[in-house]
Every structure is written in structure tokens, then in C-alpha cells.
Amino acid sequence: MSNSYTSASLGESKVSTFNPSAKYDPSVNDAKSRRQLVIDPLSSDDDSDEALESQRLNALEEFEDGANIDPEEGLPFYQKRRGKLIIAVAAIVLIVLAAIVAVGLSSTGGDGDAKSNASGINSNSVPTLPPFPTEAPSTLRPTISEPEYSPIEYIIPSAPPIPNVSGPSFDSIYERLVTMLKLRGVTNEVSFTSVGTGAAKTSQVRAAEWLVRNDPLRLLGANSKTPLARVFQRYVLVAIYYELNGANWKNNDGWLSDDHECRWYGVSCADKTIPSTSLFEAGQSQIGQLTTEEQVLVQLDLEENGLSGNLPDEIGSLSDCTVLSVYGNDIAGTLPSSLGQMVALNKLWLEDNEFSGSLPSEIGYLRNVDDLSFYENQIEGTLPTELGQLTRLERLWANNMRITGRLPTEFGMLSKLENLYLDVNFLSGSIPRELGLATNLRDLRLFRNSLGGTLPINLFSLTKLEILYLDTNKFKGEIPNEIGGLLSIKDLQLFTNDLTGSVPFAISLLQNLQILRLNANDLTGNIPALLGTNLNLLRVTLSDNRLVGTIPDSLQYSSSIRRIEFDRNSLEGTLPEWIGNLDELLTLNVANNRLTGLIPTSLSALKQLEEVKLEQNDFSGRVPREWCELESLSNGILTADCSGILPEVECGCCTSCFEIMVESRIGGH
């Protein structure tokens, strides 16, 4: 048996030799004291060799057998095996606790990486234990020689990886947003499935990506509580921006900035109560419906702002919008049917764009709308009968387009309709009698279509009607005397049709009438004798008919009249002297009739004349020299029969001279 050992447990190479002369006291019972006696030669005074030898053998036997003797006795705690094990376990527990704390900090929002760094946690490495001391403290007892043994190696397990504390990933938030956009009907599947390898991203995809990744407001940051309705509102406006080339607008102040979208140019909002459910809470069961106050879009005004592209379907999600105005731009494509979802709309102004296709029937859902304007687009097809459901509608402007088919009889249900503009289209058929039930009509314009049939009597019962334009159609038959029921009429234009018969006497009773245009028909008979009793009359155009008789003297009482146009008829008699009293007269056109006599000298008093046409009659005399000095006529039109070898009229300043034709004396028309 070896009597020496290496004290490896202390990490030293020093060897201690056993001292056989050390003394042993059998009265000492505790192992620690006995171990001290063995190594301390000064602890006993017994000089007996025999006793000493006996004690030495007993002590050595006890030492070798290890009976009640701890080989680590006297070592510091952290150098003992048990101490090392406890330290290793404690280190593992600390690492796990640190990871849990880091995850908890990230769940409170903000930047997870920044919080990890602030707390001293490095997610790329595992914390290590402090190194064990290489030297024993000076207070330790002297080392002893112990039997040689191999130290036990304790392996500290690796700490689990610290989770990503930056919150949900971009992809997961994006997918969540797109899913909710589809589920809530804000967008459609096509907008997010038409993107493939090498394909250009749709405006909807770009809007969703911007909202998740680039929005300065970070509305969709980790654990965001932003109401879903607010997120949808911002998304729709961003989609509109991308779809209508917002970067090239005349004014795009604030758009895609860190401002609230209600501060972007053209956007107006009002405080409203909305559901408080956020993107990350949507779909979770809740007790009751929680709400919050938020600014909600109520008006979008982007008229004449350089918009181009197509109006996106997402615009229908602006369900609180009361005014949508994008007129005067270059927006093309078909009108989205989603417009029917904007149930709060009062005003929808889409005129003067490049829209095509037909009017969607879903417009019939806009039960609060009072003003619809589509004019000057490329819209075609028939008028949807659903328009008759808009019982609050006051103005419908759908002129200058390519509308075909008949006027819906359902328009008679529009009891609040005041203005109906359907001119310059391709409408056909007759005017439905039901239109006479729209008793609030004030302005009806159906000119330049292909409407036909006779003029409906019911139409002339509209006592509030002030403007009626039915010209340039295919109406036939006589003008009914019931036209006198238009008590408020100011502007009556029936020219360029196939109307026959005489000018009804009832027209003379329309005391509010200012403009009367019946030209280019096939009217016969005399001009009503009392036509001029209307003191408000400003214009009378009866050209291109087959009227006979004389110019009625009652017109002298229409002192405010500005235009008298009786040309291309068969009127006879002389040019009345009283015409010189019509101080406001701008146009006097009596060409191509059978008028005779001298040109009245009283006409020289007319100082505002711009157009005088006297040719193809049987006048004689001289055109007033004062007319040649009128600045208005110098830039206007003055014509007479002042040509030929023997001109009938002398005119030194006429813009055109005619030679009277024999047939004009006979036929008149």
C-alpha cells in the first residue's frame, strides 16, 4: 500500500508524506479531530514506542478502510463534489429563468431585440459559470496526502435557445391581415392570387405589405391593439393611392406618411364609435361587443387631381362615407359593384372621367343618395331599373354617354327627383307616362337621343318643371294644348323633331316663359297673336317651319327680348317700326320669308345688335348707316339683298350680300 497520495481535488501537484511519529489519542471520538491528530505530530506527549506503534497501526487501518473518515473533510464547499453539483444545477435554473423573463419582456410590446440587449441577454450564446478558484484561501488548513483518484467531471447542459422576442413575424402578420380582409369582404381573392413569380404586385398586395412593413405608424406592430376597422380604413386608402397612381397626383400631401389618414389631402373624418377588436383579437370569443371612439372617413374629395387607373373594389368598404368626389380625372375601367356597399353616400360624383361598361345595378342599394353624377364617361348599356328604388334621389346626371334602351318606368317612383339629365345618349322608345308622377321635377333634359312617339300629356302636368329639353329627337304629332299646364316653365326647347300642327295658343299663357325654341319642325299656321304678352320673354326661335301670317304686334311689349329668329318660313307683311324700341335686341333674323317694304329707319336706334339677317325677302331702301358704326356689328353678321345689277337694298357695311331669287318670292320657305 502506498503511503502517499496526490491532492488532485485541490488542483495541485504537491505531494504530502505520511508522518509515522504522529500521535493518536483514542479518547477523541469525532473523525475530524482524529484526522487532525494523524497529521499533527505535536498533538500528544506519549513517548512509549509500543503505544505509539499501536496507535499508528490503528490509525492507519482506520484511514485505509475509510471508516468514518471523509476524504474531502476540510475542503471549501465549492470544491466538494456536492458543492459543484449544486452550483451546476443553480446555473441551469438561472439560465432558464433568464429566458422566461426575456420572453415576458418581449410580450409587452416594443422591439424584442432591444429589450433582450437591455436586460443583458445574448440570444446567440449561453451564459457560463464563473471559473473555480485555482488557489485555496489562506485560511485553509495544510493539505494532506490522500489516495490517488480520478476527479468526477460534471457536464453542464446547454441552456435552451432564447426565443425570438421580436413578436409575430412579417409573414404571419401579413397572412393574418390578408385573411381578415377577405373574411370581412374588404377585398377579394383575385386581388391576392394574381401575384406570381415575375408578376407585378397588385395594388392590394402593395397596400397590405406597406401597412405591415413600411407604415410609419406601425399600426400592426407586435400585440397591436389598433381596432381592425381603423386598419381596414387605412388599407383601403393606401390601395386607392396605389391603384390610382398617387405618386403622380397634383396634390398628395400627407399620403403614406405618419399622419393619421384623416389628415391626408382630400380626406375628411368625423368621430364615430367603432368596434375595438384588433387584428390579433378578431375571431376570439368576447363577452359583449367592446367599442371605442375613432376618426372615421366621411368624405373623399379628389376631384381634378390627376388620378388615373381603375377605381378599386375596396372603395366599397368606406361604408361611412357620405361624399365621394373624383370628377375631372382620367379614371378608367368599369364602375365597381362594391359602390352599392357605400350605403351612407349622399353624393356620388364620378363625371368627366374615362369609365366604361354599364352602370351596376347595385347602385340601387344607395338608399340615402340624393345626387348621382356620371356624365361625360364612356358608360354604355341600359339604365338599371333599380335606380327607381332611390327614393331620396334629387339629381341624376347621366348625360353625354352611350346609354341605350328605354327610359325605365320606375323613374315615376322618384318622388323627390328634381333634375334628370339623360341628354346626348342613344335612348329610344317613348317617354313613359309614369314620368309624370315625378311631380317634383324641375329640370328634364332628354335632348339628342332617339326618343319618339307623341309628347305625353302627363308630362305637361309637372307644375314645378322649369326647364324641358326634348329637342333633337324623333317626336311626332302635334304639341298638345295641355302644354299650358307647365305653369313654372322658363325654358322650353322642342326643336329638331317631326312635330306638326300649329303653335298652340296655350303657349301664350306661360307667363314665366323666357326661352321658346320650336324651330326645325313642320309647324304651320300663324304665330300666336298674344305670344308677346309674356313680359319675361328673352328668345323666340321659330325658324325652319311653314308658318304664315305676320309678325305679331304683341312682341313690342316684350321689351327685354334679345333674340327674334323667324327665318325660313312664309311670313308676309312689313318689318314693324316698333322693333326699333327693343333696346336689348341682339339678334334679328327674318331671312327667307316674304316680307316687303322699306327697312324701318327706327332700327338705327338699336345699339347692341350682333346679328341682322334680312336677305331673301323683298325689302327695299337702305340699311341704316348707324349700323355700320356699331362695334358689335363690325365683329358680327349683317346680311341683305345687296347684290346684283340692281340690288334691292343698299348696304355699305354688310358682311354678306345676296341677290334675291325668284323662287324666294314665290315659295317663301
Side-chain angles (χ1 to χ4, degrees):
M1 180 184 295
S2 172
N3 293 328
S4 65
Y5 73 96
T6 302
S7 58
S9 63
L10 296 176
E12 302 174 356
S13 59
K14 182 178 180 179
V15 177
S16 299
T17 304
F18 179 74
N19 187 352
S21 62
K23 296 181 181 178
Y24 173 69
D25 185 358
S27 64
V28 180
N29 294 323
D30 66 290
K32 182 175 181 180
S33 299
R34 291 202 302 270
R35 184 181 179 191
Q36 290 175 348
L37 289 175
V38 170
I39 64 175
D40 187 1
L42 302 178
S43 60
S44 176
D45 296 330
D46 191 351
D47 298 327
S48 171
D49 293 337
E50 183 177 354
L52 182 61
E53 180 64 15
S54 176
Q55 292 175 3
R56 186 188 70 80
L57 292 175
N58 291 335
L60 183 59
E61 182 179 359
E62 279 186 335
F63 180 80
E64 291 175 346
D65 293 339
N68 299 318
I69 297 177
D70 184 357
E72 294 181 336
E73 194 69 44
L75 294 177
F77 172 76
Y78 63 84
Q79 289 185 347
K80 295 180 182 181
R81 297 177 184 177
R82 185 178 181 185
K84 292 178 180 180
L85 179 60
I86 293 173
I87 291 173
V89 172
I92 294 172
V93 172
L94 287 174
I95 292 172
V96 173
L97 289 175
I100 294 173
V101 170
V103 173
L105 289 174
S106 70
S107 68
T108 62
D111 192 325
D113 293 335
K115 291 191 176 183
S116 294
N117 293 335
S119 61
I121 299 175
N122 186 348
S123 61
N124 297 323
S125 62
V126 178
T128 57
L129 295 173
F132 293 119
T134 56
E135 295 182 2
S138 58
T139 56
L140 292 177
R141 294 181 176 83
T143 59
I144 62 173
S145 297
E146 294 183 2
E148 217 171 12
Y149 71 98
S150 297
I152 299 175
E153 296 182 2
Y154 296 101
I155 301 175
I156 301 176
S158 299
I162 297 177
N164 182 2
V165 294
S166 61
S169 67
F170 163 79
D171 289 339
S172 63
I173 297 177
Y174 177 84
E175 291 300 326
R176 176 71 170 169
L177 174 61
V178 172
T179 298
M180 294 310 300
L181 288 171
K182 295 176 182 177
L183 287 176
R184 299 295 176 88
V186 177
T187 192
N188 54 57
E189 190 73 30
V190 176
S191 299
F192 286 89
T193 57
S194 59
V195 180
T197 304
K201 294 180 179 179
T202 64
S203 299
Q204 291 79 6
V205 170
R206 295 174 66 191
E209 288 183 351
W210 181 88
L211 203 61
V212 175
R213 189 190 295 273
N214 300 321
D215 186 356
L217 285 187
R218 301 284 301 269
L219 294 185
L220 295 179
N223 300 309
S224 169
K225 298 297 183 181
T226 305
L228 195 58
R230 164 81 191 285
V231 174
F232 288 168
Q233 174 175 273
R234 197 167 176 90
Y235 162 80
V236 170
L237 289 175
V238 177
I240 290 173
Y241 178 88
Y242 283 129
E243 188 67 26
L244 297 179
N245 296 304
N248 298 318
W249 293 353
K250 295 178 182 178
N251 191 336
N252 57 10
D253 292 348
W255 285 74
L256 305 195
S257 71
D258 57 355
D259 285 337
H260 193 294
E261 60 274 13
C262 289
R263 297 186 181 92
W264 295 355
Y265 171 78
V267 179
S268 301
C269 295
D271 291 333
K272 291 181 177 288
T273 301
I274 63 172
S276 61
T277 306
S278 70
L279 178 65
F280 304 101
E281 296 170 337
Q284 299 178 5
S285 59
Q286 298 180 358
I287 299 176
Q289 177 64 63
L290 302 179
T291 59
T292 186
E293 289 291 316
E294 181 57 82
Q295 288 185 288
V296 177
L297 184 147
V298 294
Q299 193 163 328
L300 184 59
D301 298 299
L302 295 173
E303 63 272 4
E304 298 179 338
N305 199 38
L307 281 63
S308 61
N310 298 335
L311 201 61
D313 287 338
E314 284 74 12
I315 199 167
S317 296
L318 301 176
S319 56
D320 289 287
C321 184
T322 60
V323 177
L324 175 59
S325 175
V326 293
Y327 68 83
N329 288 289
D330 294 311
I331 307 174
T334 58
L335 293 175
S337 59
S338 60
L339 287 172
Q341 300 172 20
M342 304 180 72
V343 293
L345 271 181
N346 300 135
K347 309 280 189 296
L348 178 59
W349 295 333
L350 306 178
E351 69 267 21
D352 195 12
N353 278 285
E354 299 295 331
F355 289 115
S356 58
S358 59
L359 292 174
S361 59
E362 287 80 2
I363 290 178
Y365 296 127
L366 304 179
R367 304 299 174 83
N368 291 305
V369 74
D370 57 33
D371 199 336
L372 283 177
S373 183
F374 307 111
Y375 69 88
E376 293 188 12
N377 279 287
Q378 304 300 316
I379 295 174
E380 55 190 10
T382 59
L383 293 168
T385 58
E386 288 80 2
L387 288 171
Q389 301 172 11
L390 306 180
T391 55
R392 296 187 179 182
L393 188 63
E394 297 177 2
R395 288 168 291 278
L396 174 58
W397 299 356
N399 48 304
N400 288 74
M401 299 197 296
R402 300 177 179 179
I403 301 296
T404 58
R406 293 174 171 268
L407 283 172
T409 58
E410 288 79 4
F411 279 7
M413 301 168 59
L414 302 177
S415 59
K416 293 189 176 182
L417 187 63
E418 296 181 3
N419 300 79
L420 179 57
Y421 290 9
L422 297 173
D423 48 281
V424 194
N425 279 292
F426 298 93
L427 294 171
S428 59
S430 59
I431 297 177
R433 291 181 301 175
E434 289 80 359
L435 191 58
L437 299 176
T439 55
N440 215 39
L441 267 174
R442 286 173 167 79
D443 191 345
L444 177 58
R445 306 190 184 195
L446 302 175
F447 66 92
R448 292 186 63 182
N449 280 285
S450 296
L451 296 170
T454 58
L455 297 176
I457 294 177
N458 289 12
L459 195 63
F460 302 131
S461 64
L462 299 174
T463 57
K464 295 182 180 180
L465 195 63
E466 298 177 358
I467 298 175
L468 178 59
Y469 292 169
L470 300 180
D471 55 276
T472 320
N473 278 286
K474 299 179 179 180
F475 293 114
K476 59 185 180 180
E478 297 185 356
I479 302 174
N481 276 319
E482 284 79 2
I483 199 170
L486 299 177
L487 301 179
S488 301
I489 197 71
K490 296 179 179 179
D491 193 346
L492 178 59
Q493 304 198 21
L494 305 177
F495 65 90
T496 314
N497 280 288
D498 295 318
L499 298 174
T500 59
S502 61
V503 178
F505 171 79
I507 286 183
S508 303
L509 304 178
L510 302 177
Q511 294 302 304
N512 292 305
L513 187 63
Q514 298 177 5
I515 297 175
L516 175 63
R517 298 187 66 186
L518 303 178
N519 50 298
N521 281 288
D522 196 20
L523 299 175
T524 58
N526 295 321
I527 300 174
L530 298 180
L531 181 61
T533 57
N534 179 357
L535 302 182
N536 294 309
L537 206 57
L538 299 176
R539 179 176 184 175
V540 179
T541 303
L542 302 176
S543 312
D544 287 292
N545 281 289
R546 293 194 293 161
L547 298 174
V548 296
T550 60
I551 298 175
D553 288 334
S554 61
L555 284 174
Q556 63 183 302
Y557 304 110
S558 300
S559 57
S560 298
I561 197 166
R562 297 181 179 182
R563 301 189 189 280
I564 297 176
E565 295 168 310
F566 293 162
D567 56 298
R568 302 184 69 82
N569 279 286
S570 298
L571 298 177
E572 299 175 332
T574 61
L575 201 59
E577 287 280 349
W578 52 257
I579 292 181
N581 299 326
L582 303 178
D583 296 335
E584 303 294 326
L585 194 63
L586 302 176
T587 299
L588 175 61
N589 188 349
V590 292
N592 291 85
N593 278 285
R594 297 179 177 181
L595 298 173
T596 61
L598 294 173
I599 298 175
T601 57
S602 63
L603 298 184
S604 62
L606 301 176
K607 305 298 184 183
Q608 300 189 52
L609 286 173
E610 297 175 351
E611 180 181 358
V612 178
K613 302 186 75 173
L614 306 174
E615 75 273 11
Q616 302 302 306
N617 280 287
D618 197 13
F619 290 124
S620 60
R622 178 190 299 272
V623 170
R625 293 179 181 178
E626 290 82 358
W627 287 359
C628 297
E629 299 175 0
L630 290 178
E631 183 178 352
S632 57
L633 268 180
S634 64
N635 297 318
I637 298 174
L638 176 56
T639 62
D641 297 325
C642 50
S643 182
I645 299 175
L646 295 173
E648 295 197 4
V649 176
E650 183 180 347
C651 183
C653 57
C654 282
T655 57
S656 295
C657 284
F658 294 81
E659 184 175 1
I660 192 166
M661 301 174 66
V662 175
E663 54 265 32
S664 69
R665 297 178 183 272
I666 300 174
H669 187 61

